[in-house]
Amino acid sequence: MPARTVLAWRTTSGAATSGPAGRSVEWTVVGSDIGPLLLAATGAGLVTVVFHARPAVRDGALARLRTRLGAEPVRAPDSARLAEPVRQLDAYFAGGLREFTLDLDWSLTAGFNREVLSELASGVPYGTVVGYGDLAGRVGQPGAAQAVGAAMGSNPLPVVVPCHRVVESGGGLGGFGGGLETKRRLLALEGILPQPLF
């Protein structure tokens, strides 16, 4: 049985502020086995991970951050805030990390979605999967499988908060915001699916 994954984080209030006394957002794009990832962090922690961060996707993600957080995202490839997320993601994709221990800024999610994502982060370890309905039951909402699917689709912190580990109860992969091939690759990395042949 695989070791239990524990995700450590600090919770923030979720209030978006701006101006000199408000939050600042730093971002960078890093390469990975599943393509370029945009990482953004505030002083509270990692606030988003965005798949397929080529220019059009990157620009759209930055515009959403600007609107949602009320701050102008600043490109900062050497940011101290981003150094540890970059290091841990590199280690994860190299197969050497099963447990992310990052400060997370949960400002981009709230309510039921945040409750489900918190349960996913703390209760579904590396190398395991959970069904949408099972995850709904864990947060006291049996029968809310579709709402869990919506929460996975709105996850601002994929990979770190492992929505790729949520699958259909009948064995199907289900949906995935990063695309099914990305989901397959992440599940293969964790030993749940066979590695692709190419």
XYZ file of all heavy atoms in Angstrom, residues 86-155:
507
model
N 8.385 25.339 -7.629
C 9.111 24.840 -8.803
C 9.928 23.617 -8.422
O 9.914 22.593 -9.115
C 9.999 25.942 -9.419
C 10.958 25.360 -10.449
C 9.146 27.044 -10.046
N 10.637 23.685 -7.297
C 11.469 22.558 -6.861
C 10.623 21.316 -6.607
O 10.961 20.215 -7.051
C 12.241 22.936 -5.582
C 13.263 21.857 -5.177
C 13.757 22.043 -3.752
N 12.737 21.722 -2.764
C 12.353 20.491 -2.445
N 12.874 19.438 -3.055
N 11.423 20.290 -1.532
N 9.495 21.493 -5.906
C 8.677 20.325 -5.585
C 8.007 19.743 -6.827
O 7.908 18.521 -6.957
C 7.648 20.681 -4.507
C 8.300 20.887 -3.147
C 7.310 20.925 -2.005
O 6.255 20.300 -2.038
N 7.663 21.656 -0.944
N 7.558 20.572 -7.743
C 6.976 20.043 -8.984
C 8.025 19.306 -9.811
O 7.742 18.252 -10.374
C 6.305 21.153 -9.787
C 4.929 21.543 -9.259
C 4.505 22.902 -9.790
C 3.878 20.491 -9.609
N 9.242 19.840 -9.885
C 10.324 19.130 -10.586
C 10.547 17.754 -9.961
O 10.687 16.755 -10.671
C 11.626 19.933 -10.526
C 11.662 21.107 -11.486
O 10.799 21.190 -12.397
O 12.569 21.961 -11.331
N 10.586 17.707 -8.639
C 10.802 16.437 -7.940
C 9.638 15.476 -8.163
O 9.830 14.262 -8.331
C 11.016 16.688 -6.447
N 8.418 15.990 -8.185
C 7.240 15.157 -8.448
C 7.342 14.525 -9.833
O 7.176 13.314 -9.990
C 5.973 16.002 -8.321
C 4.722 15.303 -8.799
C 4.063 14.381 -7.992
C 4.209 15.547 -10.072
C 2.920 13.728 -8.435
C 3.066 14.906 -10.515
C 2.427 13.998 -9.704
O 1.301 13.345 -10.148
N 7.615 15.322 -10.846
C 7.692 14.783 -12.208
C 8.888 13.864 -12.402
O 8.861 12.994 -13.267
C 7.691 15.917 -13.236
C 6.337 16.540 -13.429
C 6.064 17.823 -12.995
C 5.310 15.821 -14.020
C 4.806 18.387 -13.149
C 4.045 16.366 -14.181
C 3.798 17.656 -13.746
N 9.920 14.010 -11.590
C 11.075 13.108 -11.648
C 10.804 11.807 -10.887
O 11.635 10.901 -10.890
C 12.307 13.803 -11.073
N 9.648 11.699 -10.229
C 9.294 10.487 -9.497
C 9.816 10.442 -8.072
O 9.707 9.413 -7.406
N 10.383 11.533 -7.591
C 10.982 11.530 -6.261
C 10.162 12.187 -5.180
O 10.586 12.250 -4.032
N 8.974 12.712 -5.509
C 8.150 13.400 -4.509
C 6.738 12.854 -4.547
O 6.109 12.830 -5.599
C 8.117 14.914 -4.791
C 7.311 15.729 -3.786
C 8.162 16.031 -2.553
C 6.823 17.025 -4.400
N 6.262 12.423 -3.398
C 4.887 11.931 -3.291
C 4.029 12.827 -2.423
O 2.833 12.612 -2.312
C 4.890 10.520 -2.699
C 5.509 9.516 -3.627
C 5.505 8.144 -3.007
N 5.887 7.171 -4.006
C 5.416 5.948 -4.056
N 4.551 5.541 -3.159
N 5.819 5.126 -4.992
N 4.622 13.791 -1.777
C 3.904 14.628 -0.818
C 4.297 16.084 -1.024
O 5.439 16.456 -0.791
C 4.275 14.184 0.600
C 3.723 15.032 1.692
C 4.221 14.566 3.051
O 4.382 13.369 3.269
O 4.438 15.444 3.904
N 3.365 16.904 -1.495
C 3.616 18.334 -1.607
C 3.450 18.969 -0.236
O 2.474 18.695 0.468
C 2.630 18.983 -2.581
C 2.895 18.650 -4.017
C 2.147 17.684 -4.671
C 3.893 19.297 -4.725
C 2.381 17.367 -5.997
C 4.143 18.997 -6.060
C 3.391 18.033 -6.694
N 4.399 19.784 0.150
C 4.341 20.505 1.426
C 4.533 21.984 1.120
O 5.599 22.537 1.325
C 5.404 19.994 2.410
O 6.684 20.058 1.752
C 5.125 18.567 2.843
N 3.501 22.586 0.587
C 3.559 23.973 0.145
C 2.504 24.802 0.858
O 1.417 24.310 1.159
C 3.290 24.058 -1.362
C 4.289 23.379 -2.287
C 3.748 23.326 -3.706
C 5.629 24.105 -2.243
N 2.816 26.060 1.081
C 1.786 26.999 1.517
C 0.910 27.288 0.308
O 1.412 27.560 -0.788
C 2.417 28.304 2.008
C 3.151 28.140 3.329
O 2.817 27.209 4.089
O 4.058 28.943 3.592
N -0.411 27.200 0.492
C -1.352 27.450 -0.590
C -2.244 28.624 -0.241
O -2.703 28.762 0.886
C -2.230 26.217 -0.842
C -1.503 24.925 -1.216
C -2.514 23.800 -1.433
C -0.624 25.118 -2.433
N -2.497 29.459 -1.232
C -3.447 30.554 -1.116
C -4.735 30.072 -1.793
O -4.771 29.899 -3.009
C -2.882 31.794 -1.809
C -3.808 32.995 -1.718
O -5.029 32.800 -1.491
O -3.320 34.117 -1.902
N -5.775 29.844 -1.012
C -7.035 29.286 -1.511
C -7.997 30.371 -1.993
O -9.195 30.138 -2.119
C -7.713 28.463 -0.414
C -7.029 27.180 -0.090
C -6.084 26.976 0.869
C -7.227 25.914 -0.712
N -5.696 25.656 0.867
C -6.386 24.987 -0.090
C -8.056 25.479 -1.749
C -6.333 23.649 -0.457
C -8.012 24.148 -2.122
C -7.157 23.242 -1.478
N -7.506 31.559 -2.282
C -8.367 32.692 -2.637
C -9.239 32.462 -3.863
O -10.260 33.123 -4.014
C -7.518 33.941 -2.889
O -6.844 34.331 -1.732
N -8.854 31.568 -4.751
C -9.593 31.387 -6.003
C -10.688 30.336 -5.918
O -11.290 29.983 -6.930
C -8.622 31.042 -7.144
C -7.575 32.119 -7.444
C -6.634 31.648 -8.543
C -8.231 33.442 -7.822
N -10.958 29.837 -4.714
C -12.038 28.869 -4.544
C -12.682 29.083 -3.182
O -12.053 29.617 -2.270
C -11.527 27.422 -4.709
O -12.637 26.526 -4.749
C -10.566 27.018 -3.619
N -13.941 28.687 -3.072
C -14.668 28.898 -1.813
C -15.809 27.890 -1.708
O -16.093 27.150 -2.647
C -15.227 30.324 -1.767
N -16.463 27.868 -0.559
C -17.668 27.070 -0.364
C -17.460 25.583 -0.589
O -16.457 25.004 -0.174
N -18.443 24.968 -1.265
C -18.416 23.530 -1.515
C -17.160 23.131 -2.279
O -16.523 22.128 -1.952
C -19.669 23.119 -2.298
C -19.706 21.662 -2.670
C -20.048 20.695 -1.741
C -19.391 21.254 -3.963
C -20.086 19.346 -2.075
C -19.422 19.908 -4.312
C -19.768 18.950 -3.368
N -16.804 23.903 -3.305
C -15.622 23.553 -4.104
C -14.382 23.485 -3.232
O -13.588 22.543 -3.332
C -15.412 24.560 -5.234
C -16.438 24.429 -6.331
O -17.330 23.587 -6.278
N -16.337 25.266 -7.338
N -14.209 24.451 -2.366
C -13.031 24.464 -1.498
C -13.062 23.293 -0.527
O -12.030 22.679 -0.249
C -12.981 25.793 -0.756
C -11.749 25.953 0.104
C -11.626 27.400 0.476
N -10.670 27.624 1.519
C -10.360 28.816 1.971
N -10.938 29.886 1.469
N -9.482 28.966 2.922
N -14.239 22.975 -0.002
C -14.375 21.844 0.920
C -13.967 20.533 0.227
O -13.225 19.720 0.779
C -15.819 21.769 1.416
C -16.067 20.714 2.456
C -17.504 20.683 2.934
O -18.335 21.500 2.481
O -17.795 19.810 3.770
N -14.448 20.356 -1.002
C -14.119 19.143 -1.755
C -12.626 19.095 -2.074
O -11.983 18.048 -1.925
C -14.957 19.085 -3.058
C -14.464 17.992 -3.984
C -16.421 18.865 -2.725
N -12.064 20.209 -2.509
C -10.643 20.241 -2.858
C -9.764 20.013 -1.628
O -8.735 19.339 -1.721
C -10.296 21.557 -3.552
C -10.919 21.726 -4.940
C -10.720 23.140 -5.451
C -10.373 20.703 -5.931
N -10.169 20.535 -0.486
C -9.419 20.294 0.750
C -9.428 18.819 1.122
O -8.404 18.254 1.508
C -9.992 21.131 1.898
O -9.803 22.493 1.665
N -10.596 18.177 0.992
C -10.696 16.742 1.275
C -9.845 15.945 0.294
O -9.160 14.997 0.675
C -12.153 16.286 1.208
C -12.343 14.783 1.337
C -11.794 14.184 2.626
O -11.767 14.870 3.666
O -11.372 13.005 2.589
N -9.879 16.322 -0.968
C -9.061 15.647 -1.974
C -7.587 15.762 -1.624
O -6.848 14.771 -1.647
C -9.334 16.271 -3.346
C -8.442 15.803 -4.495
C -8.657 14.326 -4.776
C -8.714 16.648 -5.734
N -7.146 16.977 -1.280
C -5.729 17.209 -0.986
C -5.253 16.407 0.213
O -4.139 15.876 0.201
C -5.498 18.702 -0.746
N -6.083 16.289 1.240
C -5.635 15.622 2.458
C -5.992 14.140 2.509
O -5.363 13.387 3.248
C -6.227 16.328 3.686
O -7.638 16.239 3.664
N -6.980 13.713 1.708
C -7.493 12.365 1.886
C -7.318 11.388 0.744
O -7.760 10.243 0.850
N -6.690 11.813 -0.359
C -6.494 10.900 -1.492
C -4.999 10.878 -1.823
O -4.498 11.730 -2.558
C -7.335 11.321 -2.721
C -7.164 10.307 -3.851
C -8.813 11.451 -2.340
N -4.277 9.919 -1.259
C -2.819 9.923 -1.387
C -2.314 9.542 -2.777
O -3.037 8.981 -3.603
C -2.373 8.895 -0.346
C -3.561 8.067 -0.049
C -4.776 8.872 -0.376
N -1.067 9.863 -2.984
C -0.325 9.503 -4.196
C -0.550 8.026 -4.521
O -0.517 7.170 -3.644
C 1.164 9.751 -3.926
C 2.089 9.517 -5.081
C 2.567 10.576 -5.841
C 2.545 8.235 -5.395
C 3.455 10.380 -6.886
C 3.424 8.020 -6.447
C 3.871 9.100 -7.190
O 4.757 8.887 -8.226
N -0.775 7.729 -5.782
C -0.914 6.348 -6.205
C -2.276 5.741 -5.956
O -2.449 4.534 -6.104
N -3.262 6.548 -5.555
C -4.620 6.050 -5.343
C -5.596 6.934 -6.110
O -5.244 8.033 -6.539
C -5.013 6.047 -3.850
O -5.086 7.395 -3.372
C -4.014 5.264 -3.010
N -6.817 6.442 -6.267
C -7.872 7.220 -6.906
C -9.129 7.151 -6.049
O -9.254 6.292 -5.183
C -8.188 6.728 -8.346
C -7.006 6.970 -9.272
C -8.603 5.271 -8.353
N -10.067 8.061 -6.332
C -11.351 8.098 -5.645
C -12.411 8.410 -6.697
O -12.137 9.114 -7.668
C -11.338 9.157 -4.506
C -11.180 10.568 -5.050
C -12.571 9.040 -3.619
N -13.608 7.885 -6.511
C -14.707 8.187 -7.416
C -15.338 9.530 -7.074
O -15.282 9.982 -5.932
N -15.962 10.144 -8.065
C -16.646 11.423 -7.843
C -17.684 11.291 -6.728
O -17.758 12.127 -5.825
C -17.333 11.901 -9.132
C -16.376 12.282 -10.233
C -16.008 11.362 -11.211
C -15.853 13.569 -10.317
C -15.140 11.711 -12.232
C -14.984 13.924 -11.341
C -14.623 12.992 -12.300
O -13.754 13.336 -13.294
N -18.502 10.227 -6.784
C -19.529 10.018 -5.770
C -18.940 9.736 -4.401
O -19.464 10.207 -3.385
N -17.844 8.977 -4.360
C -17.193 8.693 -3.080
C -16.680 9.974 -2.441
O -16.802 10.174 -1.229
C -16.030 7.716 -3.274
C -16.487 6.337 -3.711
O -17.650 5.982 -3.425
O -15.694 5.626 -4.351
N -16.099 10.845 -3.260
C -15.586 12.108 -2.731
C -16.739 12.982 -2.232
O -16.631 13.633 -1.183
C -14.767 12.831 -3.804
C -13.938 14.030 -3.361
C -13.033 13.711 -2.177
C -13.114 14.559 -4.533
N -17.866 12.961 -2.942
C -19.050 13.701 -2.482
C -19.486 13.191 -1.115
O -19.812 13.973 -0.217
C -20.178 13.564 -3.498
N -19.499 11.871 -0.939
C -19.870 11.294 0.348
C -18.930 11.692 1.467
O -19.357 11.913 2.604
N -17.656 11.813 1.159
C -16.673 12.190 2.178
C -16.905 13.587 2.730
O -16.477 13.880 3.844
C -15.251 12.121 1.598
C -14.750 10.731 1.340
C -13.303 10.818 0.934
N -12.773 9.547 0.494
C -11.488 9.321 0.311
N -10.600 10.276 0.502
N -11.068 8.143 -0.100
N -17.532 14.448 1.948
C -17.802 15.806 2.441
C -19.265 15.958 2.858
O -19.778 17.065 2.997
C -17.401 16.894 1.410
C -15.903 16.869 1.163
C -18.183 16.758 0.113
N -19.930 14.819 3.058
C -21.288 14.840 3.576
C -22.357 15.200 2.563
O -23.458 15.600 2.939
N -22.063 15.031 1.277
C -23.025 15.358 0.227
C -23.198 14.173 -0.728
O -22.931 14.290 -1.922
C -22.549 16.587 -0.562
C -22.450 17.851 0.251
C -23.807 18.378 0.666
O -24.786 18.263 -0.061
N -23.869 18.943 1.857
N -23.620 13.005 -0.225
C -23.805 11.876 -1.126
C -24.795 12.246 -2.223
O -25.753 12.964 -1.982
C -24.349 10.766 -0.222
C -24.854 11.459 0.992
C -24.069 12.728 1.135
N -24.523 11.811 -3.405
C -25.373 12.160 -4.534
C -24.938 13.426 -5.252
O -25.556 13.814 -6.235
N -23.878 14.070 -4.783
C -23.413 15.312 -5.404
C -22.215 15.072 -6.316
O -21.332 15.916 -6.425
C -23.071 16.344 -4.330
N -22.205 13.927 -6.995
C -21.058 13.584 -7.855
C -20.848 14.626 -8.941
O -19.699 14.979 -9.263
C -21.254 12.200 -8.468
N -21.935 15.130 -9.539
C -21.769 16.140 -10.592
C -21.177 17.425 -10.035
O -20.348 18.070 -10.685
C -23.095 16.420 -11.289
C -23.507 15.301 -12.221
C -24.749 15.652 -13.014
O -25.635 16.352 -12.545
N -24.809 15.136 -14.236
N -21.575 17.803 -8.843
C -21.016 19.001 -8.217
C -19.536 18.803 -7.917
O -18.733 19.731 -8.035
C -21.779 19.347 -6.943
N -19.146 17.575 -7.549
C -17.730 17.278 -7.348
C -16.980 17.418 -8.671
O -15.883 17.977 -8.722
C -17.537 15.874 -6.734
C -16.083 15.420 -6.830
C -18.004 15.866 -5.291
N -17.589 16.934 -9.752
C -16.968 17.098 -11.068
C -16.754 18.564 -11.402
O -15.699 18.953 -11.921
N -17.732 19.410 -11.083
C -17.589 20.848 -11.318
C -16.470 21.429 -10.455
O -15.704 22.287 -10.908
C -18.900 21.563 -11.037
N -16.355 20.951 -9.211
C -15.281 21.422 -8.333
C -13.918 21.041 -8.897
O -12.972 21.833 -8.855
C -15.455 20.847 -6.925
N -13.823 19.832 -9.454
C -12.553 19.418 -10.048
C -12.222 20.301 -11.246
O -11.069 20.700 -11.439
C -12.601 17.953 -10.494
C -12.796 16.930 -9.385
S -11.602 17.023 -8.045
C -12.568 17.846 -6.781
N -13.238 20.631 -12.043
C -13.025 21.466 -13.217
C -12.615 22.887 -12.879
O -12.000 23.567 -13.695
N -12.944 23.338 -11.669
C -12.588 24.702 -11.272
C -11.369 24.746 -10.349
O -11.033 25.808 -9.830
C -13.778 25.367 -10.576
O -14.003 24.767 -9.315
N -10.705 23.613 -10.159
C -9.547 23.534 -9.270
C -8.452 24.505 -9.728
O -7.895 24.345 -10.805
C -9.006 22.097 -9.274
C -7.795 21.907 -8.377
O -7.387 22.796 -7.646
N -7.197 20.725 -8.455
